[in-house]
């Protein structure tokens, strides 16, 4: 099947892209890497009046640093994140997690902004951005809006963005010393059944602080396991601490049943993978 007819715009500035989105009054879609959008068009599940192709907007394609802050442009490809020395040094979790997304072709085209807007509940990029406390920067006709990734989603594949808002970047406030990530997939680099990621800082005496844990595939969107992380604050992450965190994590999940796994199986996997991730975190080197 081929897409229904649509108008096509290829702006070279953010202002022009936003103007096109405004002019189409909710009928247009942004085209970034096309890895999710184009299949939806081809299956005619989406029939937008127009596509606003942002691939010629150079200002969206940068990785910038400012003190502890790192900003990644919306159009930065997964493969650029994978190879970037700046990302590897400051946010190694991102360098690692993108290698779990699709295959080389998908990573060469798919973008950070597209992944965040697509809002797949199993997506690796939304999960990593959530645990890293990132903020999405969006530009609309009314100006700039900053939305913490923890407030971006209002359901599966649904964000709080307005149809005339363009995501221009994602900002990362700091850089945790340690991270650990694991996911369970039915086959290599398939969409995940369950993903778990944790970050934190270890003091010289071996105790942990600033622990954050995010879970993917177990709710409408990635979720922070806040109580589980709080249970680990100031502890050495010994086995009893891990058990307490794993028990607390069950409270924030509401897993779906779908073609990949039942809700019951996801519920079973979550504490198992959380314990493994925390064991990895405890053994990790900065
Ligand atoms: C074979 C295959 C395997 C995959 N495997 C995985 C996987 O393992 N894990 C995973 O997380 N994903 C996976 N994906 C999805 C992939 O990550 C997509 O690239 C991503 O979901 C969308 O990014 P994109 O740049 O291609 O966006 P597009 O497909 O161009 O757009 C996606 C949506 O976001 C909107 N959009 C895009 N950019 C912006 C912006 N800057 N501002 C506002 N709206 C915007 C579009 O209008 C559209 O609604 C896979 C895809 C394929 C085809």
């Amino acid at each position: 099947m081929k897409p229904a007819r649509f108008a096509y715009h290829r702006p070279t500035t953010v202002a022009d892209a936003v103007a096109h989105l405004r002019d189409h009054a909710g009928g247009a879609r942004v085209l970034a890497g096309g890895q999710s959008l184009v299949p939806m068009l081809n299956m005619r599940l989406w029939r937008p009046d127009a596509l606003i192709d942002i691939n010629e907007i150079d200002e969206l394609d940068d990785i910038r640093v400012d003190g502890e802050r790192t900003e990644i442009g919306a159009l930065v490809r997964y493969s650029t994140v994978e190879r970037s020395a700046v990302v590897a040094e400051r946010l190694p979790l991102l360098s690692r997690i993108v290698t779990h997304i699709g295959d080389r072709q998908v990573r060469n085209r798919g973008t950070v902004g597209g992944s965040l807007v697509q809002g797949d509940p199993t997506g690796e990029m939304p999960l990593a951005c959530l645990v890293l406390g990132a903020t999405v920067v969006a530009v609309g006709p009314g100006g700039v809006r900053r939305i913490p990734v923890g407030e971006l989603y209002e359901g599966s594949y649904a964000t709080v963005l307005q149809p005339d808002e363009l995501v221009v970047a994602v900002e990362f406030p700091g850089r945790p010393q340690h991270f650990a990530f694991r996911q369970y997939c039915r086959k290599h680099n398939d969409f995940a059944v369950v993903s778990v990621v944790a970050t934190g800082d270890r003091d010289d005496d071996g105790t942990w602080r600033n622990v954050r844990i995010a879970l993917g595939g177990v709710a409408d969107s990635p979720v922070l396991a806040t109580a589980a992380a709080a249970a680990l604050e100031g502890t050495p992450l010994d086995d009893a601490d891990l058990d307490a965190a794993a028990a607390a994590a069950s409270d924030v999940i509401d897993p779906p049943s779908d073609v990949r796994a039942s809700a019951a199986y996801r519920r079973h996997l979550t504490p198992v993978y959380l314990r493994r991730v925390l064991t990895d975190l405890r053994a990790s080197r900065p």
Side-chain angles (χ1 to χ4, degrees), residues 93 126-134 149 176 197-199 211-214 224:
L93 165 60
L127 181 76
C129 290
L130 178 65
V131 83
L132 291 169
V149 172
V197 62
T199 59
V211 177
R212 286 171 68 91
I213 299 166
L224 278 179

Side-chain angles (χ1 to χ4, degrees), residues 29-32 34-42 46 48 51 118:
R29 289 258 178 190
V30 172
L31 170 64
Q35 297 304 294
S36 299
L37 178 64
V38 172
M40 300 299 272
L41 296 180
N42 281 343
W46 289 343
L51 290 189
Q118 180 66 15

Side-chain angles (χ1 to χ4, degrees), residues 164-281:
D164 54 7
E165 281 183 309
L166 179 73
V167 170
V168 295
V170 56
E171 297 174 342
F172 298 87
R175 23 183 172 165
Q177 287 171 10
H178 297 263
F179 76 91
F181 165 73
R182 282 185 187 238
Q183 66 180 189
Y184 174 72
C185 301
R186 291 184 311 168
K187 57 184 186 192
H188 180 66
N189 280 22
D190 192 4
F191 286 92
V193 172
V194 166
S195 301
V196 179
V197 62
T199 59
D201 302 323
R202 182 168 41 205
D203 284 334
D204 291 342
D205 65 0
T207 58
W208 287 77
R209 60 196 161 73
N210 304 327
V211 177
R212 286 171 68 91
I213 299 166
L215 310 169
V218 292
D220 279 354
S221 58
V223 285
L224 278 179
T226 315
L232 299 170
E233 204 63 25
T235 74
L237 301 192
D238 65 22
D239 289 348
D241 303 324
L242 270 46
D243 288 343
S250 310
D251 293 345
V252 290
I253 66 173
D254 182 15
S257 287
D258 59 25
V259 289
R260 295 196 189 95
S262 66
Y265 189 47
R266 287 187 158 102
R267 202 167 267 291
H268 164 77
L269 285 178
T270 303
V272 173
Y273 271 70
L274 180 53
R275 259 193 228 93
R276 289 179 188 172
V277 161
L278 293 173
T279 305
D280 294 345
L281 187 69

